[in-house]
Amino acid sequence: MGSLRGRDVLSAFDFNREDLFRLFDLAERLRGEISSRGILDYARGRVMVTAFFEPSTRTKISFQFAMARLGGEVVDFIEEASSIRKGETEEDTMRILDGYSPDVIVVRHSRPFFPHSVKDIVKAPIINGGDGTNEHPTQALLDVYTIWREFGRVDGICIGILGDLKYGRTAPSLSYILTRFNDVTIYYIAPRQLQVREEVLKKIEGRVRYHLVESVEEIASKLDVLYVTRLQKERFEDPQEYERLKGSYIITRNMLEKHRKIPMIMHPLPRVGEITTDVDTLPQAKYFEQAKNGMYVRAALLKEVLGV
Ligand code: NCD
């Protein structure tokens, strides 16, 4: 059996099919152990640093909870209160954090490939918690874990990924991780200006079936999962374009009641109006559960990377 011990996790492609099933099983086991014992002791004596140079709620906090549940320690770097404000570079910052010998560093940055660019200047394994528009591999991990829990499989799934597929990083990572499963179909649903990037399609070519469409309605009846994303306001070059496009697609209870056949609605969150709150109580609304699943599967990942 392989393992991710000591490895960097920079891309969703860093997980092979065997890794994914092993992590799903481990997440299930940890879920049971955490529910009966609260705090475990696998990671006792180990330290994780969270170095987030960009805002985060779920990714940072779920990693921190995951490490706490494993019995490890957490050190949080907070950019706003750091010497970055005095002009220190992020590279030097990473070098300093690594100098205190953490066992793993989770890093998020607005610059694509930032984690890749510092992986050789730090000794600790690096987990990418989101790098600009590029990738968000652990989000993809919790996304497929959530699909697997719901359907008992990911093979054969038909998923619509809706919203800002140009600037969002969850859509690329989810697409990459889905190549590890068989017979997957992806519908990319977006206005032309926000369609998925060519470079993403190149990487999945021949490994999943995909189609580019502009409206949910035309393919709703085919979907097992509708995965909604927000417009990435902070990444738009032209604020007016954001204003024009925001609200292009809003998923409402009314719309879903017409398409009762969509069995599962997901969203990486935060939502900023793409799913109206009246959807939350529908049985197929899984986005809050998806966020909770993140902690268990990140605990499984940390346990493997730490080799504990
Ligand atoms: C996503 C991100 O940061 O890319 N959030 C998250 O980690 N759940 C999605 C987003 O910000 O739109």
Side-chain angles (χ1 to χ4, degrees):
M1 280 276 251
S3 138
L4 297 164
R5 183 181 190 140
R7 296 249 308 267
D8 295 320
V9 176
L10 303 179
S11 166
F13 281 123
D14 290 338
F15 302 115
N16 63 33
R17 185 175 167 95
E18 186 188 281
D19 294 331
L20 293 171
F21 286 113
R22 209 179 51 242
L23 290 170
F24 296 168
D25 287 338
L26 182 54
E28 289 304 289
R29 202 183 95 203
L30 291 173
R31 184 187 293 267
E33 293 178 15
I34 289 168
S35 103
S36 57
R37 289 167 40 215
I39 304 280
L40 313 176
D41 54 13
Y42 295 110
R44 179 163 302 155
R46 307 299 175 106
V47 184
M48 173 185 77
V49 172
T50 41
F52 280 51
F53 298 88
E54 214 192 27
S56 169
T57 299
R58 277 149 292 273
T59 306
K60 183 160 98 170
I61 302 299
S62 67
F63 263 114
Q64 293 181 339
F65 259 95
M67 190 61 174
R69 294 288 181 202
L70 290 174
E73 302 288 328
V74 174
V75 172
D76 189 26
F77 164 80
I78 300 173
E79 184 193 11
E80 290 75 16
S82 74
S83 288
I84 295 277
R85 297 286 144 142
K86 304 181 193 167
E88 185 161 47
T89 66
E90 284 114 340
E91 285 72 13
D92 278 359
T93 304
M94 291 299 293
R95 223 176 246 122
I96 297 302
L97 296 177
D98 189 60
Y100 303 126
S101 304
D103 297 284
V104 60
I105 304 178
V106 185
V107 61
R108 168 175 287 192
H109 202 288
S110 59
R111 207 186 314 145
F113 302 102
F114 176 76
H116 311 62
S117 72
V118 293
K119 77 176 172 43
D120 294 330
I121 61 174
V122 305
K123 287 200 200 73
I126 290 207
I127 299 177
N128 180 359
D131 61 323
T133 54
N134 182 43
E135 275 216 55
H136 194 348
T138 66
Q139 178 67 46
L141 176 64
L142 77 92
D143 294 340
V144 287
Y145 173 53
T146 302
I147 295 171
W148 174 82
R149 291 196 91 227
E150 183 68 17
F151 295 99
R153 62 180 167 87
V154 183
D155 292 337
I157 223 78
C158 178
I159 182 168
I161 309 182
L162 170 92
D164 183 351
L165 312 181
K166 179 177 176 192
Y167 297 110
R169 56 194 168 203
T170 59
S173 284
L174 179 55
S175 306
Y176 302 156
I177 215 163
L178 286 171
T179 66
R180 301 311 195 208
F181 299 91
N182 304 320
D183 193 28
V184 169
T185 307
I186 304 177
Y187 283 93
Y188 292 107
I189 313 159
R192 268 190 327 273
Q193 300 93 315
L194 295 180
Q195 256 304 356
V196 64
R197 300 188 299 268
E198 211 36 57
E199 103 221 9
V200 176
L201 296 178
K202 264 201 206 122
K203 292 190 197 167
I204 62 165
E205 201 66 63
R207 309 213 235 176
V208 294
R209 271 186 304 278
Y210 68 82
H211 309 275
L212 274 50
V213 297
E214 284 193 49
S215 95
V216 193
E217 273 81 4
E218 57 183 287
I219 46 104
S221 63
K222 301 187 205 291
L223 301 178
D224 298 306
V225 180
L226 178 62
Y227 187 100
V228 185
T229 67
R230 81 180 163 100
L231 261 58
Q232 306 278 303
K233 183 177 185 181
E234 69 278 25
R235 305 192 206 287
F236 271 71
E237 281 145 28
D238 174 5
Q240 279 175 354
E241 186 172 44
Y242 171 78
E243 289 304 323
R244 264 198 309 278
L245 291 171
K246 83 166 188 226
S248 316
Y249 301 107
I250 296 178
I251 303 302
T252 63
R253 189 176 182 116
N254 205 358
M255 179 249 161
L256 287 174
E257 276 170 352
K258 274 199 276 165
H259 297 293
R260 275 216 164 272
K261 288 203 200 91
I262 304 180
M264 188 177 184
I265 310 296
M266 299 177 73
H267 193 308
L269 303 177
R271 67 170 154 189
V272 285
E274 320 72 44
I275 302 182
T276 55
T277 53
D278 58 2
V279 174
D280 300 358
T281 48
L282 289 176
Q284 62 266 54
K286 298 292 180 193
Y287 28 92
F288 293 118
E289 193 179 314
Q290 183 185 350
K292 277 192 211 162
N293 288 339
M295 187 193 77
Y296 298 108
V297 80
R298 286 179 170 128
L301 177 63
L302 285 172
K303 187 172 178 304
E304 279 227 344
V305 170
L306 294 169
V308 294

